[in-house]
Amino acid sequence: MKKRIKPLPDPELRAILRAADDIIAEGGRTLLSKILKGSKERKLLELGLDRNPSYGYYKDLTLEQIMDKVDHMIRTGFLETELNGKLPTIIFTPRGWAIERERRAEEFVQEWDRWLENNVTPLNMEYLKDGIGA
């Protein structure tokens, strides 16, 4: 009998998926773990990954403990790795994207609500092309 691996608790699962969203097909397990750790590494800061809502989510864990959680997300079918050239990068599985897609939609609605409250008229919404419809 095959033992089923339980997913991480929902808040952790969502935090990891959100952190992954900004580096899909561009960064790997280590970069994802550094975002979740809240690393001050220059490359991470230059890429603006410190603005990710999940940045520092696991600040009290070691990088190794965080990497174990990322690997767990791969084993439970929410994320997977794919070669991009010679380097393995993180991508969503359909299961992981189904969850993250809903969260991203919620973030956009919250942003637009803030705009309405502050009478902001967006000039350009081109950012949506690569965001929610991916």
Side-chain angles (χ1 to χ4, degrees):
M1 187 165 106
K2 193 174 180 181
K3 185 179 178 187
R4 185 180 162 115
I5 305 170
K6 286 187 172 187
L8 293 171
D10 198 54
E12 291 185 59
L13 187 138
R14 290 177 179 276
I16 293 170
L17 291 174
R18 182 60 187 92
D21 198 10
D22 287 349
I23 62 165
I24 289 297
E26 295 177 7
R29 294 165 50 250
T30 302
L31 183 58
L32 176 54
S33 298
K34 288 178 179 179
I35 293 168
L36 291 161
K37 175 71 178 165
S39 170
K40 301 286 187 210
E41 189 176 278
R42 194 174 103 220
K43 176 187 172 190
L44 190 141
L45 298 176
E46 285 174 358
L47 293 171
L49 296 172
D50 57 322
R51 292 189 301 270
N52 182 292
S54 292
Y55 178 80
Y57 183 84
Y58 287 128
K59 65 182 174 284
D60 296 329
L61 299 182
T62 67
L63 207 51
E64 185 178 326
Q65 290 170 317
I66 299 167
M67 190 84 75
D68 287 343
K69 290 182 181 285
V70 169
D71 289 342
H72 188 78
M73 292 286 286
I74 293 168
R75 284 191 306 273
T76 53
F78 293 95
L79 296 171
E80 57 187 36
T81 58
E82 174 180 272
L83 285 180
N84 186 354
K86 293 183 180 183
L87 299 174
T89 58
I90 290 289
I91 62 170
F92 289 122
T93 63
R95 183 180 185 194
W97 177 238
I99 294 168
E100 180 55 18
R101 177 180 59 220
E102 295 301 316
R103 173 152 175 171
R104 288 295 283 156
E106 290 169 13
E107 284 182 13
F108 286 127
V109 169
Q110 289 170 359
E111 179 182 34
W112 299 334
D113 284 344
R114 282 191 302 274
W115 289 351
L116 289 171
E117 289 169 8
N118 296 303
N119 295 318
V120 173
T121 304
L123 298 175
N124 184 340
M125 297 189 77
E126 287 288 317
Y127 71 98
L128 290 176
K129 283 183 171 180
D130 296 326
I132 203 161

